[in-house]
Amino acid sequence: MPQDRMPTIRDIAERAGVATSTVSRALANPQRVNARTREKIERIAAQLNYVPSTQARGLSSGRTGAIAVLVPDVTNPFYFDIIRGTQNQLKAAGYTQLLVDTEEATDVELEALRRLRRTADGIILAASRLTDQQLADAAARQPLVTINRATADAPTVLIDTPGAMVQALEHLDSLGHRKVTYVGGPTSSWSTHRRWNALQEAASRRGMEISKIGPYTPKTSSGAAAADSALRTGATAFIAFNDLIAIGMLQRFRERGVRVPEDVSIVGCDDIFGADFCNPPLTTIASPIEQAGRTAVSMLLAQLDPLRGGTPRKLAVMPTHLEIRSSTGPAPGH
Amino acid sequence: MPQDRMPTIRDIAERAGVATSTVSRALANPQRVNARTREKIERIAAQLNYVPSTQARGLSSGRTGAIAVLVPDVTNPFYFDIIRGTQNQLKAAGYTQLLVDTEEATDVELEALRRLRRTADGIILAASRLTDQQLADAAARQPLVTINRATADAPTVLIDTPGAMVQALEHLDSLGHRKVTYVGGPTSSWSTHRRWNALQEAASRRGMEISKIGPYTPKTSSGAAAADSALRTGATAFIAFNDLIAIGMLQRFRERGVRVPEDVSIVGCDDIFGADFCNPPLTTIASPIEQAGRTAVSMLLAQLDPLRGGTPRKLAVMPTHLEIRSSTGPAPGH
DNA sequence: CAAACTTTGGCAATCGCTTGCCAGCATGTT
DNA sequence: AACATGCTGGCAAGCGATTGCCAAAGTTTG
């Protein structure tokens, strides 16, 4: 692999008969240099197939040109969409995306944050497992935007799932379900508490009976246990923390011969890839996940150079809606 | 955001009363320095919450500590498993993962490769759309490993899908299908040609009739057109380039009232997330995708420091098998 | 035509860390 | 006792870009 020394601005400078500083300016600051000189330099650069060293540039400028995206689990389709959103927007802005999987673990998250302090210009933190204090510390050290984890210390993108939870409850109510169970996500997840609170309140307002089981890991494989446990609550409808769990439950119900939606109804959350083609297709809370990723990037970039970005928003709330498919139906005996 | 100047080895050196070179060595090359000095330095470093600058380190050492992973489409679940695999292994080896979406476009891929020459220590190129010549050039410039794209110029990880394609054909044959259609992927995809060739050969050996339609974009949304077109071939069984297309076809058949597997059988490829819970569950060619990602990383790292890695392998072939579920059944009238 | 600007390009310091080379000292070897 | 070795740690030269400051040349202006 004979990768001969890469050309530097110095090589260009020599061939062009100018100083390196002129080359640097010609490339980064075109109007600072005479058009003829610039063209000459550009020509030589192209000819040498010159690529500036991000490293060296970063050293003097203090920026790395990279933004890190931290997600709890890269394989969770929910985060795919986030990543797709950030990827798009970052590329458009000329940034590189560093993808980090924090394995749903606080310490991994903290360690990543620490290392990245020098490696990335900013961080997008999806569904952080950190405490308020830890988040505040992190935000004080580096530009940060959180997704689905509100904090006073950093701009946040929230997907308004709780809002649609209420819709889901109404939907179930109108189908005659009086007793509903919420299938909770990981205890460390801020979202699951938020959703449960919204549900509780809405249920009591409508005089519906609601209970909670869990916590469950947000994977389809948790669905079996969740399904069994859910059945024991005696509820006729279940609202799952997310689609992964809901899909897992669907599979388990099928195994056990419990018919959906004839015997029980089930509502998922997120409308991830697969929610529309599982069996039966899942009624779920659809969220503009990808857009959340894009918005997070915008908010972060605005924070990075406040000059251009206008007033940086501190909070963006993404609208959601209930996507009714076939996993919900009339309560038995209705 | 008052991120006060970050501590450097110089700060540590001052407090420890040693030279910066000693600090550098204490941190990077522990046995090169007296134990007492080292401990002192380590203590101060911890106390200052020191994080070395990857940039500066890279400048002098010439390595960036980052590996780029290029995939044609981040939202394709197939690549997500690859990404999960690389992510795991890279983290274990202390590398950072740069994720780049090449948008199934040759020029985006080339440009990314160019930029990354200075930014990453090595590249993992999944399902590259490059020509042999372009690949050879890239491989000559930087350490490179390809996945599902064989080339003589770089180590390669291949998923032996063609092997299992033959199994799939046997399976269909034994169910009485005599006429099969292959639903092809993008023309620029090396894999689709490879699969089609394997199928053609196996079909002629077994005296089965095989035809091809396509190309189709590997998304579920292509499935509708694929399904309609597939039906017109008069075949009773279809083998799709990948699960995404297969799942899209499943949906379309359902819409059109074509029963699977009673009327037609369909085989997917990759066994991605969702293949087991779609309706009906998809018979597909299961591949150890995540392991392919891990293997690619190992091969790349072996290439990066040949000292440790032993003989770097030039080719790894991942075994596959046919996962029979419910989308295949006896041919009509059998 | 001189004073006052502008434009253009070079010099050199700097960013934070690594590393080759050397010197001082403690040990070990004849 | 003289000399070869081995440990440690400091000096200083990079790595490849950016940028403040300055000077020479070119333009405007009064």
Side-chain angles (χ1 to χ4, degrees), chain A residues 137-212:
Chain A
D137 289 349
R141 292 188 192 289
Q142 62 202 318
L144 190 71
V145 171
T146 58
I147 297 181
N148 265 6
R149 172 66 170 87
T151 163
D153 303 285
T156 297
V157 177
L158 249 35
I159 298 181
D160 182 28
T161 313
M165 283 273 166
V166 178
Q167 284 179 41
L169 219 49
E170 280 172 16
H171 169 62
L172 294 173
D173 193 2
S174 72
L175 288 169
H177 296 274
R178 306 304 306 156
K179 195 168 171 191
V180 175
T181 291
Y182 175 65
V183 181
T187 316
S188 58
S189 157
W190 185 79
S191 301
T192 198
H193 297 126
R194 201 154 154 262
R195 292 172 195 177
W196 170 237
N197 289 340
L199 278 178
Q200 269 183 302
E201 196 196 328
S204 81
R205 215 172 28 228
R206 311 185 71 84
M208 295 170 76
E209 191 178 330
I210 190 149
S211 63
K212 179 168 99 162

Side-chain angles (χ1 to χ4, degrees), chain B residues 18-19 21-22 25 32 34 37 59-60:
Chain B
V18 298
S21 49
T22 305
R25 285 195 273 256
R32 178 66 177 69
N34 183 288
T37 325
L59 232 204
S60 35

Side-chain angles (χ1 to χ4, degrees), chain A residues 1-59:
Chain A
M1 236 117 307
Q3 54 247 49
D4 19 321
R5 203 177 58 72
M6 305 222 167
T8 71
I9 52 168
R10 194 161 154 184
D11 299 316
I12 303 181
E14 274 169 15
R15 306 203 191 208
V18 298
T20 60
S21 48
T22 305
V23 176
S24 173
R25 289 194 191 101
L27 264 26
N29 215 346
Q31 79 289 7
R32 177 66 176 70
V33 121
N34 182 290
R36 284 244 306 284
T37 326
R38 170 159 45 81
E39 275 159 27
K40 183 172 180 186
I41 290 175
E42 279 168 352
R43 192 165 35 70
I44 300 186
Q47 181 181 311
L48 255 41
N49 202 355
Y50 167 76
V51 182
S53 152
T54 10
Q55 313 245 56
R57 174 172 316 189
L59 233 204

Side-chain angles (χ1 to χ4, degrees), chain A residues 78 81-82 85 89 145-149 155-165 167 190 194-195 269-270 285-299 313-322:
Chain A
F78 175 77
D81 287 325
I82 299 255
Q89 203 75 349
V145 171
T146 58
I147 297 181
N148 265 6
R149 172 66 170 87
T156 297
V157 177
L158 249 35
I159 298 181
D160 182 28
T161 313
M165 283 273 166
Q167 284 179 41
W190 185 79
R194 201 154 154 262
R195 292 172 195 177
C269 184
D270 294 341
I285 291 169
S287 353
I289 315 180
E290 188 179 336
Q291 198 197 325
R294 280 204 295 270
T295 305
V297 169
S298 306
M299 289 169 77
R313 277 187 301 171
K314 294 300 278 178
L315 181 66
V317 177
M318 301 285 137
T320 55
H321 69 274
L322 185 67

Side-chain angles (χ1 to χ4, degrees), chain B residues 20-51:
Chain B
T20 59
S21 49
T22 305
V23 176
S24 172
R25 285 195 273 256
L27 265 24
N29 215 347
Q31 79 289 8
R32 178 66 177 69
V33 122
N34 183 288
R36 283 246 304 285
T37 325
R38 169 159 46 82
E39 275 159 25
K40 183 172 181 187
I41 289 176
E42 280 168 351
R43 193 165 35 71
I44 300 187
Q47 180 180 310
L48 254 41
N49 202 355
Y50 168 75
V51 182

Side-chain angles (χ1 to χ4, degrees), chain B residues 19 53 106 121 171 274 315 320 328:
Chain B
S53 152
T106 308
D121 292 341
H171 169 63
L315 179 66
T320 54
T328 46

